[in-house]
Amino acid sequence: MAIGKTMRLLSRQGTLLFRLPMQDWFDVAKKLESLALKAAQRANLETDVFSPDVHPADPRFGDAQINGALPYAKRLKTNPREIAQQLVDQLNQDPEITSVAELSIAGPGFINIRFNSEFFLMWLRAFTTEEDFQASASRIFAGERVVVDYGSPNTAKQMHVGHIRAIVIGEAICRLLEFCGAKVTRDNHIGDWGTPYGKLFYAYKRYLNKTALEEDPLGELERLYKLGSRLANDDEATLEECRKELVKLQLGDPDAIALWKRVNELSIDGLKEIYDLLNVHFDCFLGESFYRDQVGRVYEELQETGLAEESEGALVVFHPEHKRYAKQPFIIRKSDGASNYATTDLATMLYRQEHFKATRVIIVTDDRQKDHFEQLDLTTKKWFNQTNRSRPEFRHVMFGKIMGDDGKPIKSRSGDPIRLKDLVYESIDRAYAIVKGKNPDMAEEEHKQIATTVGISAIKYADLSPNRTSNYVFSWDKLLSFEGNTAPYLLYAAARIQSIFRKAGVSMKFDDAAATPFETDEEIALARKIMEIVGVLHSTIETLRPHLLCTYLFELAGAFSAFYNANKVIVDDAGIKARRLILCQRSLLVLKIGLSLLGIRTLDRM
RNA sequence: GCGCGGCUAGCUCAAUUGGAUAGAGCACCUGACUACGGAUCAGGAGGUUGGGGGUUCGACUCCCUCGCCGCGUGCCA
């Protein structure tokens, strides 16, 4: 049944109790807030002080709680329980709430709300498709144009573990924003300019292995860079040669530029291989080189506006109002006259505002760059204000490091960073062994497909499920485990639901008219959990913290498994069967929506 | 030195931003219908939330202080 239709609430005897516009109830917390506010008005509370403060409740107490009476009573120095009682008295006058829930007061003045079983059923029957779930979310960022800057590897080098979180978190954020109605531009701000090129070119011209370049371009380029770097380090004359190569490039020497272009093409092709494997696709690769001739405007405007000043030979920006950046400079031009990443980042901000008309800019990097982006944001705000430009809202989405068992940043046995490609393929290989062990009868081709999805999902989920701002400890056993908060557990739950429908010979779009209200504890717990997705999507988007969604999906899968284990779905009673199929179908729907927002594909069987 | 972040069960992590008896998963112990997929589920045990003080009806959360650990802190990105 579609949103917008009026649901008829029938009593057990089939009499029409009243008409309830269910679309208002999609976001239960929001609806309760508005009802509580109305009640507060009728109770003559000071409505500019009262805030409903609606939370999901511990199931022991109810389905939701309104806590606003406590802070209200504190401000007005009155008795919180009395305030709560006044609110409940008013709410109990309102058929919109009394028809779906029972209210009670507990402790110092918590108002507990417990929905009746019919309400859960009506809710689940009102919202049945991804579009239904997206309808309210898509208003959040409607009309917004967001540039999301993530990935940002250096060219001529292979990506390593240090890049995985940026890719995975960035992609999840893009998908969440799109789900919420934003027009997203995925921009990969690659490091494709600067000092490493002198060393690379020096070695490229002398030690290139053409066959290796054909077979593994990034591997060969990286080898050459390391070689050039080592030679320059050991020998002063070689270092001087490298400098000359760099100068040629910076002066626009045609041969140097041609070589630089070739290296970049090879690099981006190599990068795309892994991005494809991870199902991540960028709209543009506007790297540092793209902005190299745009730094002049930055110098001019920041000096004209008086924001930048000379200090120790460099051009810098101080922020006197800030306790730290009053003294710690934002260096936008080095004392040798060269630009640095502050310069190009400022130029990038300008381009995103002028060219993309961005209303928001999000940059995803590790947390060590926090200071830099705070200074960038402060500087950009002042700059754009003084030049009467619209100011995109900036968010630095940062994340912590991936640690090894020893509590130090993860490294390979040789001490080098682990290559991203190796990491992903090792995950797929490990998944393959597990899948094959569990399903010996399955066709080889299916083993491979499932292993690829499981392996990649497991890596992604390991990056997303811990709070992004903290470091996390990497463990193969944990991320590929089929127990606990992991991708395989969630994929398994989804696959098993599909299996029920296959077994029952029922389509996903079955006729649910016969469904009777939920009765068992497991049914009600699952229904309640499904409804929680609405609030979870809101908090995930507000904070740009995908782990909130992960935690929820894990709980949902758990609630489903508990239900599935205790309540048989395929039973003779048509009413029971229909309502349990509803729970199965909606669980699957929400799992699929949630996982796809995280950039994870689901499987029909595994 | 200054700044930022972290410190929660044996281990790995949560805690809707000040709400009720701090929750999960591993690991450990006990149990479950020859099974709509046991890759599951139910239960048990496990805590002075780094230490100390304070704010209030109420603190992992806010303030002060001390202790470790990590990161940043003028010309890398």
Side-chain angles (χ1 to χ4, degrees):
Chain A
M1 194 164 298
I3 296 180
K5 284 191 185 168
T6 300
M7 299 287 298
R8 291 193 308 167
L9 179 60
L10 302 179
S11 74
R12 292 287 167 74
Q13 292 75 35
T15 44
L16 179 65
L17 294 176
F18 73 106
R19 288 174 172 280
L20 185 64
M22 276 309 287
Q23 72 273 22
D24 287 359
W25 280 99
F26 179 69
D27 189 336
V28 168
K30 200 170 149 193
K31 180 64 177 175
L32 287 175
E33 260 175 42
S34 83
L35 291 176
L37 277 173
K38 277 192 253 174
Q41 260 171 5
R42 290 197 304 272
N44 292 320
L45 300 189
E46 296 188 26
T47 47
D48 50 336
V49 175
F50 178 74
S51 166
D53 193 17
V54 175
H55 293 278
D58 185 318
R60 285 173 299 191
F61 305 123
D63 299 307
Q65 56 182 230
I66 299 172
N67 294 346
L70 290 107
Y72 180 87
K74 190 175 203 163
R75 283 268 311 259
L76 272 66
K77 295 187 164 49
T78 59
N79 185 334
R81 258 198 99 94
E82 277 173 21
I83 299 295
Q85 190 58 55
Q86 289 175 36
L87 284 168
V88 168
D89 288 346
Q90 289 303 326
L91 284 165
N92 277 334
Q93 304 292 314
D94 188 344
E96 272 210 278
I97 182 88
T98 54
S99 59
V100 300
E102 283 184 8
L103 306 178
S104 58
I105 300 175
F110 302 110
I111 298 173
N112 289 325
I113 294 142
R114 194 178 288 283
F115 292 112
N116 56 40
S117 179
E118 289 82 356
F119 176 74
F120 289 120
L121 183 61
M122 284 195 302
W123 196 97
L124 290 183
R125 290 185 65 184
F127 309 107
T128 67
T129 66
E130 177 159 356
E131 288 70 33
D132 291 343
F133 282 84
Q134 199 179 357
S136 106
S138 66
R139 286 194 290 268
I140 299 176
F141 286 142
E144 300 252 16
R145 288 176 303 279
V146 188
V147 174
V148 183
D149 173 341
Y150 66 110
S152 50
N154 291 319
T155 51
K157 277 189 191 173
Q158 308 214 49
M159 289 191 285
H160 53 82
V161 268
H163 294 102
I164 185 71
R165 275 194 112 179
I167 298 168
V168 170
I169 291 170
E171 179 62 22
I173 280 168
C174 289
R175 288 167 182 245
L176 282 159
L177 291 165
E178 282 171 337
F179 190 79
C180 293
K183 163 90 176 64
V184 172
T185 301
R186 292 163 165 81
D187 184 11
N188 197 335
H189 194 78
I190 52 178
D192 59 355
W193 195 252
T195 48
Y197 280 88
K199 292 164 184 170
L200 172 63
F201 287 0
Y202 175 87
Y204 188 98
K205 288 179 176 173
R206 290 166 181 80
Y207 305 106
L208 175 66
N209 178 337
K210 282 188 178 166
T211 321
L213 193 67
E214 297 269 323
E215 285 169 5
D216 179 15
L218 278 179
E220 175 62 3
L221 289 172
E222 187 173 54
R223 184 187 72 85
L224 290 169
Y225 168 71
K226 282 184 179 166
L227 180 62
S229 193
R230 185 159 51 82
L231 293 173
N233 209 22
D234 293 349
D235 178 45
E236 194 62 33
T238 306
L239 183 61
E240 190 50 40
E241 288 298 313
C242 293
R243 283 207 190 101
K244 283 181 186 167
E245 292 289 347
L246 181 63
V247 170
K248 270 199 270 182
L249 177 65
Q250 287 173 337
L251 293 176
D253 172 81
D255 290 344
I257 292 286
L259 180 55
W260 171 78
K261 277 188 177 158
R262 171 148 172 72
V263 165
N264 270 336
E265 279 163 18
L266 288 170
S267 293
I268 289 178
D269 286 349
L271 293 171
K272 277 182 179 167
E273 245 178 72
I274 301 179
Y275 292 139
D276 284 348
L277 185 63
L278 295 174
N279 195 22
V280 170
H281 307 283
F282 292 93
D283 299 304
C284 45
F285 288 81
L286 301 179
E288 286 162 13
S289 69
F290 180 81
Y291 297 100
R292 68 182 186 272
D293 56 3
Q294 298 181 34
V295 295
R297 276 182 81 189
V298 175
Y299 301 143
E300 285 164 24
E301 293 200 15
L302 288 181
Q303 283 176 299
E304 280 167 13
T305 52
L307 290 169
E309 60 189 85
E310 295 273 348
S311 171
E312 299 180 24
L315 189 62
V316 307
V317 178
F318 289 110
H319 297 282
E321 77 287 1
H322 192 283
K323 58 183 171 182
R324 191 151 27 106
Y325 306 134
K327 289 275 162 60
Q328 184 178 318
F330 191 48
I331 299 175
I332 64 168
R333 191 177 63 202
K334 299 193 285 183
S335 51
D336 65 1
S339 61
N340 64 1
Y341 77 133
T343 332
T344 49
D345 278 354
L346 285 164
T348 304
M349 279 291 198
L350 182 57
Y351 187 79
R352 288 173 178 164
Q353 191 270 343
E354 288 187 330
H355 180 265
F356 291 114
K357 311 285 184 214
T359 56
R360 288 166 191 271
V361 172
I362 292 172
I363 298 182
V364 184
T365 78
D366 70 83
D367 53 15
R368 286 174 305 187
Q369 301 185 49
K370 191 176 179 229
D371 282 8
H372 168 73
F373 287 112
E374 279 175 8
Q375 290 173 304
L376 177 68
D377 189 32
L378 284 171
T379 306
T380 307
K381 275 180 183 157
K382 292 178 184 174
W383 175 25
F384 284 11
N385 273 344
Q386 293 196 25
T387 51
N388 290 317
R389 291 184 170 99
S390 67
R391 198 155 44 76
E393 191 184 309
F394 174 72
R395 288 280 292 276
H396 177 214
V397 171
M398 58 188 172
F399 54 84
K401 284 184 285 293
I402 305 179
M403 316 295 268
D405 298 334
D406 54 0
K408 293 177 182 167
I410 189 167
K411 290 260 169 68
S412 68
R413 253 160 289 169
S414 66
D416 295 326
I418 298 166
R419 290 188 301 180
L420 182 50
K421 195 164 63 175
D422 296 343
L423 183 85
V424 175
Y425 281 115
E426 180 168 356
S427 188
I428 293 171
D429 288 347
R430 285 171 178 264
Y432 175 82
I434 297 169
V435 170
K436 197 165 184 172
K438 302 277 187 193
N439 308 287
D441 301 336
M442 202 178 263
E444 177 66 9
E445 194 51 36
E446 198 169 2
H447 280 151
K448 284 184 181 165
Q449 281 180 3
I450 292 170
T452 304
T453 298
V454 171
I456 291 172
S457 303
I459 292 274
K460 287 185 173 183
Y461 197 79
D463 281 311
L464 293 167
S465 56
N467 193 341
R468 64 174 164 77
T469 49
S470 47
N471 298 341
Y472 81 89
V473 176
F474 186 90
S475 155
W476 282 119
D477 288 344
K478 191 180 168 192
L479 70 96
L480 275 168
S481 166
F482 292 68
E483 293 167 347
N485 189 7
T486 66
Y489 178 80
L490 297 180
L491 293 177
Y492 174 69
R496 205 168 40 174
I497 297 172
Q498 316 238 35
S499 167
I500 295 170
F501 281 87
R502 279 195 299 270
K503 187 87 177 186
V506 173
S507 131
M508 286 292 167
K509 292 178 181 168
F510 60 99
D511 180 6
D512 63 6
T516 47
F518 305 118
E519 285 176 15
T520 69
D521 290 347
E522 294 84 4
E523 287 174 339
I524 291 167
L526 179 54
R528 173 174 34 216
K529 189 53 77 177
I530 293 169
M531 290 168 61
E532 282 177 21
I533 182 64
V534 179
V536 169
L537 283 174
H538 275 101
S539 49
T540 304
I541 272 293
E542 270 167 32
T543 58
L544 297 178
R545 290 181 190 271
H547 84 281
L548 297 174
L549 179 54
C550 294
T551 304
Y552 166 77
L553 292 175
F554 174 59
E555 288 168 359
L556 173 64
F560 173 78
S561 292
F563 153 77
Y564 167 89
N565 231 269
N567 301 160
K568 197 162 170 72
V569 176
I570 303 169
V571 293
D572 291 338
D573 184 307
I576 296 176
K577 183 174 167 184
R579 78 183 190 227
R580 290 185 179 168
L581 282 171
I582 289 176
L583 289 171
C584 291
Q585 193 273 342
R586 304 299 189 274
S587 297
L588 179 62
L589 175 70
V590 172
L591 275 172
K592 276 188 164 178
I593 293 172
L595 286 170
S596 94
L597 290 175
L598 298 173
I600 291 173
R601 292 187 167 114
T602 43
L603 291 161
D604 290 346
R605 60 183 91 219
M606 63 187 282

